[in-house]
Amino acid sequence: MTLPLSRIDYATVGVTSRRTTKIFPATEHRHTQKFAVADHDGILYVYGMKKGELQLSFKSLPGPKINKLVLGGSGYDKIYIAQGNTVKGYTKKGKLFLEFDTNLIDPISALYVLGPNLAACARDLYHRYHDCKDADSYLAGETLYDVVLLPAEGSIIFAILACGDCAIRVLHGTKTPAILRLPNIPTVLSIYREGNVESKERVLVGTMDGKVGLLILQGNKTLRITWLLNMNGSEITSLDTYELQDGLDILIGRQDGTVEVYTFPEEDTLASLRYRYNASESISSVTGGIIGAAGYPEVLVTTYSGRIFGLTTKPPGLLEADQNDGLTKLKLEIQQLQEKLNEEKEAAIFSTDPLAPLILSVNYRMVLSREDVSYSLSIELDTPIDNILIQSDTPIELLDVENNSAVISLSMCNPREGNFVLATYRCQVNTNHLEMRLRTIEGQPGTLQIYVTSQVQPKCCRKISIPISALSLHVRQHEMEDTKSYNEGPFNELKLIGNFTVAEMHAWLSFVLPDVPERPHLEEGEATLVYISAFIGTLLKCKYKKGSAIFFGENISSIIILRDILTREATKRKIKLDVYCDVTESSISRVLELILPQLNAAYDLVTNVKILNILEELELKENLKENLCTEYQELIQKETEIRFRLAKDNEILERLHAVITDLYVDWERAKRSHRISSKDAADKLSAALKSRELVQLLQVFTDTNNTVPAPSSIPSMI
């Protein structure tokens, strides 16, 4: 990291949505620039530097929450904001020149303006207007995260959509869109720019798993990935390109509060990290410009709670000199703030309801990590968090997080009363953002209740309810993502026939599977969904149409879970179903073949940790070469890595055993119509699990007497 940047705090506004801060183009080269920011209070601010101080040029009246802010016009000097389903336009001086009702049902979630063209997205619907008149629209059926418009020859406009099915769609009028699949869900699109010049064919994209890539619109009007930076991190919330110092840089803002600056990769050079800073709360916007001092580029950052600050290239020594010169101004500002505080106190005395609690603005995300098959839950408030209470009516495992400084307290629970987990996180002072990790158990759906309490007086609390799907560890696959694996098998088959519609079956599946699209994608009246287990890698295919639904699953447990929940939902609605279930014996072998490599690796890992613990007790580390064999010496050298791997999932062995046990229980239900308890199944599988031999495990499943001889010799732990 070779870029020295210093933080300068500018202002504080209300809670902000993503990418609601924009910098106006400079009127003169390397002169200070004005910027606009909008918040959830419905207020639009325009700031600019004057006589070395940040001045508020314009401030609108409060109104509905502002979701998006973009710049438009010939010189990008006009401001467009989205409030609900209405778009308003302001000049830089604050004059309202446009108020346009888009007639969209849902609030606008993405907005872009290019000349007379205005693109707006609401949930899964894209709509483009030309001079405030309908031009074209597209129903994606997937959540639309962002949109940009690119000009082409003549009056042709191409719309680039970031969709929730891990795809970028290129639209041209009402024609069928071109689709580009990405490894993860794209959350941010940003036009590549050098200075004030925006590209007509290059677009930066940021994904939910923290990667950044560059897309190029080709001559045949399709997108191509030029490069994709394989970086690890939290979700990308904002992107920009700007030349801070010695070449073009990529500015990145993330959900976990990290601001990063990378060099822009060229043909002969790779991207390298130049700067990293953590703001301790999620980043709403990052953009490059010259704000505080002429001639010194900086990164303008806006956080979720509304803090606006710059990371400037101005040397710290000059900053200190400026601060000393402005000591008198600082004293004057303190006096003005004191007067304002006194006015607020006097106004509070005459308030009609002084104990009325604040309405807390909570921002939360719960995303499945395929790496360790756990959910990452991030919660943040616009005010400091006092504590977070978590209650679950289904079994979940709360995991440790490195950067989580909160103190956790677990309470005794009675599962018979529908209360499996009750935990309290007590946060440190001035904590606005908290990261947690948890792991669910498939086959046990429920609801996760989260109560967030702030430190602001009077104390108030906000409740969040997050549903946990029955197949919560399954990840949706998309066409062309891994077509080879779609033909794996063998599959167990579940067929449902009844008087239900496609919409009803689609709604029922949303209770079972995560990430079900907003609307079913129909081809010749039939919808198709494909999922893969993030834990063991088994496939699940769903095909359904009016009156009929067929499910193919490599894992019989997934089929049984689907059958139980779908029939229950149909019974609630008094819909008669004919259920046909075809079980394939060879599917058991397929599932065990996928599990056994993980089982052996987990067994070896646990064994190595036990060996290290014994060696530590015997205190033989001082004379390794004299007292230990080569194998144990190598083990001690890798001790840190081994313990770290086990710490990430210290119950991996028990979880794999539980999967095989559930597989046997469901196999008995499906094949022999015989219910067996998990305890009895574990006892019958005990010897085979210790042997970790495929033949012995299969013998337990296929033996009608449910007996298996104990292995002649079980390897010792050491």
Side-chain angles (χ1 to χ4, degrees), residues 60-129:
S60 70
L61 294 174
K65 169 184 172 182
I66 299 177
N67 296 317
K68 288 294 174 183
L69 183 150
V70 296
L71 299 181
S74 57
Y76 291 97
D77 57 348
K78 291 182 173 58
I79 309 166
Y80 295 86
I81 60 173
Q83 290 180 303
N85 58 2
T86 301
V87 176
K88 293 182 179 180
Y90 290 87
T91 64
K92 191 189 297 187
K93 295 183 179 180
K95 181 181 178 181
L96 179 67
F97 68 88
L98 174 68
E99 187 168 0
F100 171 54
D101 187 356
T102 61
N103 290 323
L104 296 173
I105 298 175
D106 297 299
I108 295 173
S109 57
L111 183 70
Y112 197 85
V113 175
L114 179 65
N117 295 282
L118 185 150
C121 297
R123 205 169 66 171
D124 61 342
L125 176 64
Y126 156 81
H127 212 112
R128 182 172 67 88
Y129 306 89

Side-chain angles (χ1 to χ4, degrees), residues 383-401:
T383 59
I385 301 173
D386 182 65
N387 64 78
I388 295 177
L389 175 68
I390 292 181
Q391 186 271 335
S392 175
D393 59 2
T394 185
I396 62 170
E397 179 188 0
L398 297 174
L399 307 174
D400 293 332
V401 180

Side-chain angles (χ1 to χ4, degrees), residues 229-522:
L229 300 182
N230 190 20
M231 57 180 73
N232 294 321
S234 67
E235 179 184 345
I236 304 292
T237 58
S238 185
L239 279 175
D240 195 15
T241 52
Y242 193 75
E243 184 177 349
L244 292 174
Q245 198 177 78
D246 303 328
L248 193 66
D249 296 304
I250 305 174
L251 315 180
I252 302 173
R254 296 183 182 272
Q255 172 71 21
D256 64 355
T258 303
V259 178
E260 295 174 331
V261 179
Y262 279 83
T263 58
F264 194 88
E266 301 293 344
E267 293 182 359
D268 54 345
T269 59
L270 298 175
S272 61
L273 179 64
R274 301 189 68 190
Y275 181 79
R276 176 178 286 149
Y277 177 83
N278 195 291
S280 300
E281 57 178 313
S282 68
I283 305 300
S284 297
S285 305
V286 291
T287 182
I290 299 175
I291 304 297
Y296 293 100
E298 63 184 82
V299 183
L300 185 66
V301 182
T302 306
T303 65
Y304 170 73
S305 66
R307 293 185 177 90
I308 305 171
F309 62 89
L311 300 171
T312 179
T313 55
K314 190 173 183 179
L318 294 178
L319 290 175
E320 292 175 3
D322 292 343
Q323 291 171 1
N324 293 332
D325 294 340
L327 188 60
T328 305
K329 297 178 182 178
L330 186 61
K331 290 181 178 179
L332 181 61
E333 288 181 11
I334 293 174
Q335 184 179 353
Q336 292 174 350
L337 288 172
Q338 187 65 45
E339 293 175 357
K340 187 176 180 180
L341 178 61
N342 294 334
E343 291 176 1
E344 293 289 339
K345 287 182 178 179
E346 291 177 3
I349 295 175
F350 299 100
S351 175
T352 55
D353 190 3
L355 296 179
L358 297 173
I359 299 176
L360 299 180
S361 296
V362 182
N363 182 27
Y364 68 94
R365 287 290 177 101
M366 186 166 161
V367 181
L368 177 64
S369 170
R370 298 184 66 170
E371 182 181 354
D372 57 358
V373 200
S374 67
Y375 278 93
S376 174
L377 175 63
S378 65
I379 299 175
E380 65 180 331
L381 284 182
D382 56 331
T383 59
I385 301 173
D386 182 65
N387 64 78
I388 295 177
L389 175 68
I390 292 181
Q391 186 271 335
S392 175
D393 59 2
T394 185
I396 62 170
E397 179 188 0
L398 297 174
L399 307 174
D400 293 332
V401 180
E402 290 183 9
N403 57 356
N404 188 340
S405 59
V407 179
I408 182 173
S409 302
L410 296 174
S411 302
M412 295 293 293
C413 299
N414 186 0
R416 294 181 180 179
E417 298 177 355
N419 190 14
F420 284 85
V421 175
L422 188 62
T424 304
Y425 287 85
R426 289 177 292 163
C427 300
Q428 304 294 328
V429 179
N430 296 328
T431 299
N432 289 59
H433 183 272
L434 194 66
E435 294 278 347
M436 292 169 280
R437 284 175 58 239
L438 56 94
R439 186 173 286 123
T440 59
I441 299 176
E442 287 205 323
Q444 302 194 44
T447 304
L448 186 66
Q449 307 277 9
I450 304 171
Y451 301 85
V452 187
T453 306
S454 72
Q455 292 181 355
V456 177
Q457 297 292 342
K459 287 289 182 71
C460 49
C461 178
R462 182 75 180 269
K463 177 185 174 182
I464 305 169
S465 295
I466 302 177
I468 296 176
S469 305
L471 296 176
S472 55
L473 301 183
H474 276 64
V475 181
R476 187 173 158 212
Q477 297 289 95
H478 306 283
E479 56 184 275
M480 298 173 61
E481 188 171 327
D482 190 4
T483 52
K484 183 179 178 181
S485 66
Y486 285 7
N487 299 321
E488 297 287 353
F491 292 100
N492 303 289
E493 182 180 343
L494 172 67
K495 188 173 183 180
L496 304 178
I497 298 176
N499 188 24
F500 54 82
T501 64
V502 175
E504 284 176 325
M505 178 55 67
H506 190 77
W508 297 346
L509 286 175
S510 65
F511 296 127
V512 190
L513 294 163
D515 192 27
V516 174
E518 295 278 349
R519 292 178 174 85
H521 299 283
L522 298 178

